[in-house]
Amino acid sequence: MIAKISSGKDTAGLIRYLFDTKKAKDHSDPHLVASWDGFAPDPGRTDDFTATKRLLVADLDLRVKQARRLGRAPERHVWHCSLRAATTDRHLSDEEWANIARRVVAATGIAPQDDPDGCRWVAVRHAPDHIHIAATKVRGDLSTARHWNDYLTADRELAAIEKEYGLFQVARGDRTAAKRPTRAEQEKAHRQGRDKPARERLRTIVRTAVAATTSTDEFIRLLSHTDGVLVEIVYFPSGDVRGYKVASEDTTTAGRQPIWFSGSELAPDLSFPKIRARLEATDPQPVDGPGRRRPNPWHRATAAAERIPHHLSGYDDRASQAHLAAFGEALDVLPLLAPAPIRAQLREAASAFERATRSRVQAEHHHASALRSAARAMLREPAPGDGTALAMLLDAAILVTVAAIRWHQLRHHDQQVTAAQQTLLHLQAAYDEAAGAPLTALVQHRPSQQAVNRYMRHIRRALPEHAEQVLSDPAIDALTAALAEAEALGHSPERLLKQAADQRALHDASSPARTLTWRMQRITARHATNGRGRARSGAESRRTPQLPRTSVHKATAVSPPPPRGRRP
């Protein structure tokens, strides 16, 4: 059950709307189900609607008028709360809705239980699945009701009501979610033919810019050169950067002024100080040196991701939160690098997991610097064309998401659990598409049946706990082919299997044979010697990644103000 609470100035206007049956099509049978004293006049159950409505408004406003004569009435004296059940819930009776309304006004401080001076209120039901509570905020002693944090107190009471009445239990938040687009923003996006409002599109662009850069200077530079984004940098009097604002041309008002969003308005973790803290916790990029080859960033990212489930099973919640945030940044990067057929799924996965990267736990970002550094390096070294590196990373990402679901569940982070579950569906779809070609190519080199039987014996000896599950896995042909390739390169099959299994547990893997295959491929690729040079110019290795282009006005940046005491 969901509550929406607002304040207003017009009692008569609210009552008129609640009992209207002409303009509002879903107002089929408006009537009172409860009131402050149980005897309020009901315009929905009388022949003289207009006169009864006036009586109801006068009764509700009585104390407001008395307080106004003393100069003590609040300007926005109307309190409006709508309560809506889930579409899957049964239809509650009028008596049940009346009891729910009494509990909500008591919990929020509008009309505390057994308080004779509580505010006057009525509960109107005009549709089967919801009611509206209309109240005036002046108490019997002519003081203003103390209803601070009314949304939170109502939400807590509704959570208890859901359990008692056997209703659908809504995933409760912890006030760390990004602000949702307003109805006006959604309607504007619909008129413009856009699938998302400007707030959500800008949030995605800024998150991608954070995931693609290694310093605040690079972040500002990249954001300022992104087509479709207007950027304004806010400075302290000293000239240091204080924050930033972003806008897009389609958010301009009638006066052609852009509608700006600060970073914190886009999402709690996109304020400039929090972005700076994340970027400062990024490992420096490894460089080539004499006789030393820079490690493959895709293998580094996969190895770092495979360690996350282990970190999430520990006792350091701040480190765990940091790993989840870094994993979210890696997901933000993947749509820029993946082939076209799976980009949409990866964008949806990144968008969904965004909610799972935040909680009330304060992240200590230095714990996840390795994954953050690897994700940024991936932008400068695209994955090989055969898709193996991407499939490896997606396989590890699925295990991370399963571990994230469990971590949030243990801490009762309901919204984060739902977000991670949605992420898992998109990642699994992307993995199935990405892994098809490399697995098919690998199976084509399947060894002889005699060699397969020998590898099966190796599997039983090396993995006694998982042997039957691995051998019955449909991907066993790919695993035996990978073992054959590794053995041809001089690796011991049993030792390699143990090494791959020891990296992380296989309990969460939906296909342990595929997971072992990718791990062995990465191990053998890491140890294999490669004579091909990978030298590239310094300019190319430091090139600035490009964010997705949009059809909006070119970005602009505001110059910093001159230092105080000097003329510009």
Side-chain angles (χ1 to χ4, degrees), residues 317-325 356-359 361-363 407-408:
D317 279 4
R318 293 191 172 191
S320 298
Q321 185 64 60
H323 286 289
L324 292 176
T357 61
R358 291 188 303 274
S359 72
V361 178
Q362 186 70 33
W407 189 82
H408 283 303

Side-chain angles (χ1 to χ4, degrees), residues 71 152 154 160 224 230 271 288 356 368 405 437:
L152 291 179
S224 299
L230 301 170
S271 66
D288 295 332
I405 292 172

Side-chain angles (χ1 to χ4, degrees), residues 320-344:
S320 298
Q321 185 64 60
H323 286 289
L324 292 176
F327 178 65
E329 293 178 22
L331 292 183
D332 290 331
V333 165
L334 280 181
L336 304 179
L337 304 169
I342 64 172
R343 285 176 195 160

Side-chain angles (χ1 to χ4, degrees), residues 14 69 130 135 162 164 235 312 366 483 541:
L14 176 58
R69 285 195 290 268
H130 69 280
E162 289 168 353
E164 293 177 23
Y235 294 88
L312 296 183
H366 66 275
L483 285 169
S541 64

